Amino acid sequence: MQFENAQAEKKYYETEASEADFIKWYKSQDLPKYETPSVTIDNVMFSYNREEDQMKMLLIKRKAHPFKDSWALPGGFVNPSESTGESCLRETKEETGVELTELNIEQLYTFSTPNRDPRGWVITTSYLAFLNQEALTAGDDASDVKWFNIQLKGDQLCLSADDIEIQVDIKKEEMLDESPERLAFDHVKIISTAFNRIIGKMYYQPRVLTVLGESFTITEARKVFSKFLGVDYRTIDHSNFKKDLLKFVKEVDERPTGVGRPSKFYALNIPYLK
Amino acid sequence: MQFENAQAEKKYYETEASEADFIKWYKSQDLPKYETPSVTIDNVMFSYNREEDQMKMLLIKRKAHPFKDSWALPGGFVNPSESTGESCLRETKEETGVELTELNIEQLYTFSTPNRDPRGWVITTSYLAFLNQEALTAGDDASDVKWFNIQLKGDQLCLSADDIEIQVDIKKEEMLDESPERLAFDHVKIISTAFNRIIGKMYYQPRVLTVLGESFTITEARKVFSKFLGVDYRTIDHSNFKKDLLKFVKEVDERPTGVGRPSKFYALNIPYLK
DNA sequence: CGAATAGTGTCTTTAAGACAATATGCC
DNA sequence: GGCATATTGTCTTAAAGACACTATTCG
């Protein structure tokens, strides 16, 4: 990282000033600034509804230009006092009321193509966020907030809510032309990247399972995995799946009732998510 | 992504203006701006010297405050007309004279902890860059540019050049106290992240092999891998290693002379690096 | 030919996957 | 008991790893 402000700095460092003195001096200067971009975060937020056995992703309908009436990922500006990760946690709280920790989120990728926002220079760092509940505060008046059911068939992702359908090819990173709904900005790319990341990492760092909250059964984990593999969960062999998963979880005692043999409960081993 | 500038925008979108009209109007406004950070890229650049059988990483000695006399990763400001990836390629060219492509680089992580730069708000997106030659233009007068030999023993990374030694624990992401040299900013974290990423991905996306240029032998690939595994390359079984590697490479005809049976040459299959 | 190095083949061990058998709780 | 569901165990198949053998070139 270089941050040479040419003349002024150079003159200064040639004196044998201390670091502290330098900073004090530096901040007192009103140095000519480089042009700087707006920096935002975009959240690819997931939740899982046990009753419906549905994996869901949050999108917001834009009521303002640009991309008026298109669907967009929730997000917002990064504040000078916070890291992008903290920004992601704050936005999630504001948007859904859910308080997450660093274990529930993962930095995805930073998108910075010039003109990705028609209004000007905006760089965004995207995050995966896994909520342990399908919670939602009322959308503000500028937006229409919806949890979309996700369904994968091969490389094709279908997002649906009520009568709305959005279809994406997550390898080509583009929408299928059929769907009348649009995605704003480069959010097709972000969403595609998100799914590819989750699919690629779930067998060695299954952070996606934090959608199941504190504890869960093997079968629930199978169901979550099946959503990203695009298969029925029963095609994932319980016995073999458990062998794999045991590397990442520990048994916790908790045995609720229900039909059939009660299942054991497991919790994720924190160290594997770091 | 939200970019609500409150009143002004709201008033406008309520009219039924087109998107193009909106942008024209928007740019004509001199809207109050949020505070924006400087955005930089930092490069973790690697090269491999066949003669010495040495993997190398580039560091620059800072001659100015802050972190005067510490070693830092090469990098620089992102321009409004370029993505961070393009910025990385440009900086690499400026710093070393080597012209890379997107296949040689990989976005690593975006670091944004407040106060990571004592001068103010600076966010950096870090990149891995694999040069196919140990090239270097003369360092400018503000810097002392050196290729450090890298050596791993377990989690301990040792960077050495001439009589200089820098030791890092790449799991704890901190320097060992012994070494008198310092690393600037949060570059210990960036470097640690870089090694962990390379190690984690080399068996399923061995982009690191682009340090070997257009074509290479199995043994050369073993040598490169061994540097990141912290072992002698002869402990990596040639036969088994080849079985793995064949998934990612194709044979090219080229057979130079030398002692021993001449080895076949291979080139990376581009699709695996995308 | 012998040393050096690369390539190929085989055997063993381990992990992955398919499938069957057993266990538990509710009705 | 019968059904539903979960757990456990076994057998088969495929991948990973260790190791031995063959091939090619140079001096």
Side-chain angles (χ1 to χ4, degrees):
Chain A
M1 228 281 315
Q2 278 175 306
F3 200 132
E4 315 314 345
N5 173 321
Q7 305 88 329
E9 278 194 42
K10 193 181 280 182
K11 205 156 67 191
Y12 196 82
Y13 73 64
E14 278 165 8
T15 72
E16 283 303 320
S18 73
E19 181 101 2
D21 286 342
F22 167 80
I23 297 298
K24 206 185 299 175
W25 166 84
Y26 184 92
K27 300 218 166 177
S28 73
Q29 300 295 105
D30 193 22
L31 300 171
K33 280 197 73 173
Y34 288 79
E35 190 180 344
T36 57
S38 296
V39 176
T40 63
I41 62 106
D42 280 310
N43 260 340
V44 191
M45 291 181 15
F46 292 92
S47 72
Y48 174 72
N49 184 308
R50 281 178 160 91
E51 288 73 45
E52 302 172 26
D53 183 25
Q54 284 285 358
M55 184 66 60
K56 290 161 186 278
M57 199 189 96
L58 196 70
L59 289 175
I60 298 176
K61 187 159 190 167
R62 290 186 57 82
K63 291 202 169 164
H65 285 299
F67 294 100
K68 182 156 147 42
D69 300 323
S70 293
W71 293 91
L73 294 167
F77 286 93
V78 176
N79 293 330
S81 60
E82 64 188 8
S83 65
T84 52
E86 289 161 350
S87 184
C88 164
L89 296 176
R90 175 178 55 76
E91 292 282 350
T92 303
K93 177 81 165 74
E94 289 173 11
E95 201 71 63
T96 66
V98 178
E99 201 126 8
L100 298 181
T101 74
E102 293 282 346
L103 299 176
N104 298 294
I105 66 171
E106 177 172 322
Q107 189 183 303
L108 183 59
Y109 198 81
T110 296
F111 294 85
S112 58
T113 312
N115 305 316
R116 54 177 294 282
D117 188 313
R119 289 164 297 187
W121 192 17
V122 184
I123 291 177
T124 196
T125 297
S126 53
Y127 276 81
L128 300 176
F130 302 107
L131 309 214
N132 55 18
Q133 49 186 300
E134 186 188 342
L136 196 57
T137 56
D140 62 55
D141 66 341
S143 56
D144 203 337
V145 186
K146 271 195 203 305
W147 283 103
F148 282 72
N149 290 329
I150 76 165
Q151 202 190 346
L152 268 171
K153 282 184 198 146
D155 297 339
Q156 268 187 239
L157 167 66
C158 181
L159 300 166
S160 59
D162 306 329
D163 53 339
I164 305 159
E165 258 198 18
I166 300 174
Q167 297 206 307
V168 172
D169 185 313
I170 62 167
K171 286 290 179 257
K172 294 191 183 132
E173 306 192 341
E174 52 191 38
M175 290 189 66
L176 301 191
D177 299 325
E178 299 135 45
S179 58
E181 304 286 336
R182 310 312 305 163
L183 285 169
F185 305 101
D186 51 1
H187 290 191
V188 191
K189 276 192 195 302
I190 301 180
I191 291 165
S192 300
T193 307
F195 278 85
N196 288 315
R197 170 77 62 87
I198 294 170
I199 294 164
K201 284 188 80 168
M202 65 187 185
Y203 278 108
Y204 74 94
Q205 196 187 52
R207 190 185 309 277
V208 63
L209 293 179
T210 60
V211 293
L212 293 171
E214 285 295 298
S215 67
F216 50 85
T217 66
I218 300 292
T219 299
E220 285 169 344
R222 280 163 70 203
K223 287 178 177 173
V224 168
F225 269 52
S226 71
K227 302 299 173 293
F228 291 95
L229 295 172
V231 299
D232 185 287
Y233 83 95
R234 283 161 299 196
T235 65
I236 303 173
D237 184 271
H238 186 103
S239 169
N240 298 330
F241 183 79
K242 183 173 180 173
K243 266 190 283 187
D244 291 342
L245 199 64
L246 281 179
K247 288 184 283 223
F248 303 110
V249 299
K250 55 175 183 294
E251 203 177 326
V252 293
D253 44 77
E254 188 180 346
R255 292 280 192 118
T257 182
V259 66
R261 176 172 175 173
S263 60
K264 294 181 179 173
F265 277 74
Y266 299 87
L268 283 162
N269 272 323
I270 306 299
Y272 287 107
L273 300 183
K274 290 267 166 76
Chain B
M1 227 282 313
Q2 279 174 304
F3 200 132
E4 314 315 345
N5 169 329
Q7 305 90 326
E9 277 194 42
K10 194 180 281 182
K11 206 157 66 192
Y12 197 83
Y13 73 64
E14 278 165 8
T15 73
E16 283 303 320
S18 73
E19 180 100 3
D21 285 343
F22 167 79
I23 297 298
K24 207 187 296 175
W25 166 83
Y26 185 91
K27 299 218 167 179
S28 73
Q29 300 295 105
D30 193 21
L31 300 172
K33 281 197 71 174
Y34 288 78
E35 190 179 345
T36 56
S38 297
V39 175
T40 62
I41 63 105
D42 280 309
N43 261 338
V44 191
M45 292 181 13
F46 293 92
S47 72
Y48 174 72
N49 185 307
R50 281 179 160 89
E51 289 73 45
E52 301 173 26
D53 183 24
Q54 283 285 357
M55 184 66 61
K56 289 162 187 276
M57 199 189 96
L58 196 70
L59 289 175
I60 298 175
K61 187 160 190 167
R62 290 186 57 82
K63 290 202 169 165
H65 285 300
F67 294 100
K68 181 156 145 48
D69 299 322
S70 292
W71 293 91
L73 294 167
F77 286 93
V78 176
N79 293 331
S81 60
E82 63 188 9
S83 66
T84 53
E86 290 161 350
S87 185
C88 163
L89 297 175
R90 174 179 55 75
E91 291 282 349
T92 303
K93 177 81 164 74
E94 289 174 10
E95 200 71 64
T96 67
V98 178
E99 202 127 9
L100 298 181
T101 74
E102 294 282 346
L103 298 177
N104 299 112
I105 66 171
E106 177 172 321
Q107 190 182 302
L108 184 57
Y109 198 81
T110 296
F111 293 86
S112 58
T113 312
N115 304 316
R116 54 177 295 283
D117 188 314
R119 289 164 297 187
W121 192 18
V122 184
I123 291 177
T124 196
T125 298
S126 54
Y127 277 81
L128 300 176
F130 301 107
L131 310 215
N132 55 18
Q133 50 186 298
E134 186 188 342
L136 195 57
T137 56
D140 63 54
D141 66 342
S143 57
D144 203 335
V145 185
K146 271 195 204 304
W147 284 102
F148 282 73
N149 291 327
I150 76 164
Q151 202 191 346
L152 269 170
K153 281 183 198 148
D155 297 338
Q156 268 187 240
L157 166 66
C158 181
L159 301 165
S160 59
D162 307 330
D163 52 338
I164 305 159
E165 259 197 17
I166 299 174
Q167 297 206 310
V168 172
D169 185 312
I170 63 167
K171 285 290 179 259
K172 294 191 184 131
E173 306 194 339
E174 53 191 37
M175 291 190 64
L176 301 189
D177 298 324
E178 299 134 44
S179 59
E181 305 286 337
R182 310 311 306 164
L183 284 169
F185 306 100
D186 50 2
H187 291 190
V188 192
K189 276 192 195 303
I190 301 180
I191 292 165
S192 300
T193 306
F195 278 85
N196 288 315
R197 170 77 63 87
I198 294 170
I199 294 165
K201 284 187 80 168
M202 65 187 184
Y203 278 107
Y204 73 96
Q205 196 188 54
R207 189 185 307 277
V208 63
L209 293 179
T210 60
V211 294
L212 293 170
E214 284 296 296
S215 66
F216 50 86
T217 67
I218 299 291
T219 299
E220 285 168 344
R222 280 163 69 202
K223 286 178 177 173
V224 168
F225 268 53
S226 71
K227 302 298 174 293
F228 291 95
L229 296 172
V231 298
D232 186 287
Y233 83 95
R234 284 162 299 195
T235 65
I236 303 173
D237 185 90
H238 186 102
S239 170
N240 298 329
F241 184 78
K242 183 173 180 174
K243 266 190 284 186
D244 291 342
L245 199 64
L246 281 179
K247 288 183 284 224
F248 304 110
V249 298
K250 56 176 184 292
E251 204 177 326
V252 293
D253 45 77
E254 189 179 346
R255 293 281 192 114
T257 182
V259 68
R261 176 172 175 173
S263 60
K264 294 180 178 174
F265 277 74
Y266 299 86
L268 283 163
N269 272 323
I270 305 300
Y272 288 108
L273 300 184
K274 292 264 166 75

